[in-house]
Amino acid sequence: MTADPQWVPTESDVRDAVVTDFARFVTRRHGVRVEDYRALWRWSVADPAAFWQDVWDYFEIRSATDHGPALADAAMPGAVWFPGATLNYVDHVFRNARPGTPAILYAGEGATGISVGWDELRSAVAGLAATLREHGVGVGDRVVGYLPNIPEAVVAFLATASLGAVWAACGQDYSAPAALDRLGQLEPKALITADGYRFGGKEHDRLAASADLRGGLSSLALTVVVSHLDPDAVVDGTLTWAEAAGRDAALESVAVPFDHPLWVVFSSGTTGLPKGIVHGHGGVLLEHVKSLALQLDIGRDDTLFWYTSPSWMMWNFQTAGLLVGATIVCYDGSPSFPTPDSLWALVSRLGVTVVGTSPGYVLACDKAGVIPAREHDLSALRAVGVTGSTLPAASSLWLSENVGRRVPVVSITGGTDVVSAFVGGARSVPVWPGELSAPCLGVAVDAFDESGRPVRGEVGELVVTAPMPSMPVSFWNDPDGKRYREAYFDVFPGVWRHGDWITITDRGTVLMHGRSDSTLNRNGIRMGSADIYQVVEKLPEVAEALVVGVDLVDGGYWMPLFVVLSEGAELDDALKQRIRGAIREQASPRHVPDDIIEAPGIPHTRTGKKLEVPLKRIFQGADAGRTVDRSAVDDPDLLDWFARHGR
């Protein structure tokens, strides 16, 4: 933990921040003193009903009926929010429309770029909604997407939601069987797909995979194919995008209850059939306007670009930029093609004001010697968001030094479970390298020890002790809620346990240590894997690393470190000693690995998380075929290598 922040808000930052204006609103209404962000957060979790009512009123959320009390029942699970409300997410998108300005900017590998205006977006949403309605799609029915990150995906989601139907999607990097494992659970009435996508300089034709997926969905009444790669692509028995969305129609949204399903997002699904996590219209709407406006300070003058895919909840989060009138960017391709700094070039070209990326991409830019601020005009950029895994202090400082010292680094942590963040930042809060600046408003974050007692300055379980509106309405196909309760509430009854190790510091910032179910527990001394990665992956010879702690049947404990080497590096005794020395001095002398092993690669979920827990189980003797769903892994062949090594 460093003493000095790497970024401090100016007086004008604090004065002009949306969250400061919201704090004034709270003071006028309640007479409470919330002189700074931390005081506002404390009030927001002490009186969640008042806080979320204020969010509703400040952002002028509209209901077709009397919404009732903000929080009618605070039990977890089972909290009841705004029980009388009827609304529709899509109405609030187009309330903030800015005619004559872009709602969506599209860019892709080899594409010159497309601008979709607000009027054009509304027209396409209305046209597709009319087509869906004609094919029998109504309230509660499911529409699924098998699509790259293109504007048509946003249109399809909004059209679905306007009808009170339920949206779900995954990217086309998933195979047809993997997509079917997810989308097939929903028995959808309509499928929106595309002929392919671009990545890393290659075009990937997905017509055959789309046909296989379509064949596995016996409930379909309609399939629409977007001709993304080939404008002349036509598939028998389907509608083209122009036929489905190009018709004249009025947008007629359906008012639904606050907790009516908006979408189903899926867990990574590496250890079984992916869980379908259901979120409601009202909870998502409230959480996302709060997060976009009060945490990230995004509004009508902003262009938001989070590098993501329809498979990942950050796609849903970025789409919510439309709720606050921002322009959002859809990008189909690699952030590192044709050059390592391609993402920064796109930020410059599109005038992006808030960009989101991953710690892995930041580290790759660092090792490639990229200096974005020198090579690109980033004058419009005013914040960099980072999520997906833990951001090391060195990478946070690299962003300040090479993107801009005036640009705050907003590292966030949350999850698909709440389609938002638990901990992040705000325009009025300083940034310390390697730390998350503050708990998000309305999120009662705490760190518990094994006995359920709050701890400070030491590692504990990330828990949330009061409900959030965007906690799941339910899991799909979980009628009695058993799987939902087991996922979050079994360890600490009535308290959400998320499964991450954190430390809450004395200044209220948060340190992330990785997943608590992959803890390195040597001789009773616990450490998170992220603490090891921050040290090892900083070495120029190491491209990536994975560490697991394996309890052996004879009572022993084996802690191997697998490393993927940078080009030209060799894992000789000297490098092994450097790795061990770095861990001993910068992390923990108790957690120096037993073995350091060169690996051909590290397997991840398709949203970029390392497969620590499944690999640990394989090393403990579990059958790899039953432990890991290969279709949920970015490079399934690596599983075979690790399984052989485990034997």
Side-chain angles (χ1 to χ4, degrees):
M1 215 169 74
T2 57
D4 299 323
Q6 72 181 65
W7 180 86
V8 177
T10 64
E11 288 185 9
S12 62
D13 283 322
V14 176
R15 182 189 64 238
D16 299 337
V18 179
V19 71
T20 301
D21 188 63
F22 177 78
R24 290 192 287 262
F25 176 88
V26 168
T27 297
R28 289 194 302 270
R29 172 170 281 194
H30 302 287
V32 297
R33 290 180 57 83
V34 284
E35 63 277 5
D36 60 18
Y37 180 89
R38 307 234 175 243
L40 181 62
W41 175 77
R42 287 192 294 272
W43 173 80
S44 76
V45 296
D47 194 346
F51 169 74
W52 289 106
Q53 181 66 61
D54 285 0
V55 171
W56 178 290
D57 293 337
Y58 183 80
F59 291 103
E60 299 179 345
I61 305 301
R62 297 175 185 173
S63 170
T65 51
D66 179 7
H67 63 60
L71 185 54
D73 186 342
M76 284 202 298
V80 178
W81 298 93
F82 298 96
T86 52
L87 42 68
N88 193 291
Y89 176 103
V90 176
D91 287 338
H92 291 80
V93 167
F94 289 106
R95 275 179 53 199
N96 288 295
R98 295 175 293 134
T101 63
I104 303 173
L105 296 174
Y106 167 70
E109 292 182 7
T112 55
I114 297 171
S115 176
V116 180
W118 284 90
D119 290 342
E120 184 182 355
L121 177 62
R122 176 190 280 272
S123 177
V125 170
L128 182 58
T131 298
L132 292 170
R133 189 183 296 113
E134 280 188 0
H135 285 79
V137 176
V139 174
D141 292 325
R142 278 77 63 199
V143 178
V144 298
Y146 184 50
L147 293 160
N149 188 10
I150 54 179
E152 290 87 348
V154 178
V155 172
F157 156 59
L158 294 175
T160 300
S162 74
L163 300 173
V166 185
W167 172 254
C170 62
Q172 291 194 315
D173 54 338
Y174 280 86
S175 67
L180 189 60
D181 280 347
R182 291 154 177 79
L183 306 179
Q185 298 179 48
L186 308 182
E187 300 179 349
K189 272 197 175 178
L191 166 66
I192 317 295
T193 186
D195 60 347
Y197 68 99
R198 298 179 180 89
F199 191 89
K202 297 180 181 178
E203 291 191 348
H204 300 265
D205 187 307
R206 303 305 281 163
L207 282 175
S210 296
D212 290 343
L213 175 59
R214 182 183 169 202
L217 298 172
S218 59
S219 54
L220 290 179
L222 171 67
T223 299
V224 178
V225 179
V226 179
S227 300
H228 182 53
L229 300 182
D230 177 5
D232 299 320
V234 176
V235 178
D236 289 343
T238 71
L239 294 183
T240 67
W241 180 258
E243 290 169 335
R247 57 190 294 178
D248 289 331
L251 181 58
E252 301 172 1
S253 62
V254 177
V256 293
F258 187 90
D259 61 356
H260 181 79
L262 173 65
W263 56 47
V264 179
V265 288
F266 290 94
S267 66
S268 58
T270 55
T271 57
L273 197 64
K275 293 192 298 287
I277 302 172
V278 185
H279 296 110
H281 274 250
V284 168
L285 174 61
L286 277 183
E287 176 60 37
H288 281 179
V289 295
K290 179 214 75 175
S291 295
L292 271 293
L294 301 186
Q295 307 295 159
L296 290 175
D297 204 58
I298 292 172
R300 295 167 68 86
D301 297 327
D302 284 299
T303 298
L304 169 63
F305 170 34
W306 209 290
Y307 181 77
T308 186
S309 151
S311 305
W312 188 21
M313 53 103 357
M314 290 309 299
W315 182 90
N316 306 66
F317 187 87
Q318 172 175 270
T319 299
L322 299 171
L323 290 170
V324 294
T327 298
I328 64 172
V329 176
C330 293
Y331 178 68
D332 170 36
S334 166
S336 305
F337 182 85
T339 58
D341 62 345
S342 288
L343 181 141
W344 303 110
L346 190 61
V347 168
S348 173
R349 178 157 61 87
L350 299 182
V352 170
T353 58
V354 179
V355 66
T357 185
S358 67
Y361 180 71
V362 175
L363 184 60
C365 287
D366 182 3
K367 292 191 173 185
V370 171
I371 304 178
R374 185 180 68 190
E375 295 156 6
H376 305 287
D377 177 7
L378 302 180
S379 57
L381 187 64
R382 59 178 187 80
V384 177
V386 185
T387 192
S389 58
T390 301
L391 180 70
S395 292
S396 188
L397 291 168
W398 181 90
L399 283 167
S400 284
E401 293 162 3
N402 295 279
V403 172
R405 294 187 183 279
R406 61 177 181 76
V407 179
V409 177
V410 185
S411 185
I412 66 175
T413 188
T416 302
D417 322 76
V418 293
V419 286
S420 190
F422 299 120
V423 188
R427 187 177 172 186
S428 58
V429 179
V431 175
W432 282 268
E435 302 176 25
L436 281 66
S437 295
C440 294
L441 297 175
V443 185
V445 171
D446 211 333
F448 276 11
D449 65 14
E450 292 175 336
S451 303
R453 292 188 297 260
V455 293
R456 294 294 179 271
E458 61 182 84
V459 176
E461 288 269 8
L462 189 161
V463 298
V464 181
T465 59
M468 296 168 59
S470 66
M471 285 176 174
V473 172
S474 63
F475 284 177
W476 195 260
N477 289 333
D478 182 30
D480 62 358
K482 181 175 183 289
R483 291 168 61 215
Y484 182 20
R485 291 190 300 273
E486 288 175 347
Y488 309 114
F489 298 103
D490 260 12
V491 176
F492 305 116
V495 172
W496 175 291
R497 170 189 173 270
H498 193 62
D500 283 333
W501 284 126
I502 63 169
T503 298
I504 300 177
T505 71
D506 56 4
R507 57 175 166 242
T509 60
V510 174
L511 302 172
M512 301 299 300
H513 304 288
R515 297 294 294 171
S516 55
D517 50 8
S518 60
T519 306
L520 306 172
N521 188 352
R522 181 169 254 168
N523 298 320
I525 307 298
R526 299 177 305 185
M527 173 167 280
S529 57
D531 300 297
I532 302 293
Y533 301 145
Q534 290 194 25
V535 173
V536 175
E537 292 179 348
K538 197 163 55 175
L539 299 171
E541 296 91 346
V542 179
E544 193 175 15
L546 181 139
V547 64
V548 290
V550 183
D551 296 292
L552 303 177
V553 291
D554 63 0
Y557 190 78
W558 180 51
M559 199 181 100
L561 174 70
F562 297 91
V563 294
V564 180
L565 298 180
S566 302
E567 187 174 354
E570 179 184 351
L571 188 61
D572 54 18
D573 289 341
L575 179 55
K576 288 181 180 180
Q577 286 304 109
R578 285 188 61 213
I579 292 171
R580 289 191 173 100
I583 293 171
R584 183 179 293 108
E585 295 165 15
Q586 300 175 45
S588 163
R590 305 239 184 173
H591 292 84
V592 175
D594 297 306
D595 294 296
I596 302 175
I597 303 158
E598 183 177 353
I602 303 298
H604 309 81
T605 68
R606 292 189 179 275
T607 55
K609 293 181 171 60
K610 300 177 185 182
L611 294 188
E612 295 169 332
V613 175
L615 291 178
K616 175 178 176 177
R617 291 174 181 163
I618 290 170
F619 291 153
Q620 288 173 319
D623 178 76
R626 296 182 179 181
T627 302
V628 186
D629 175 8
R630 297 175 69 91
S631 69
V633 180
D634 60 352
D635 189 346
D637 291 342
L638 289 172
L639 296 174
D640 300 329
W641 185 91
F642 278 90
R644 287 194 301 272
H645 205 94
R647 285 196 295 272

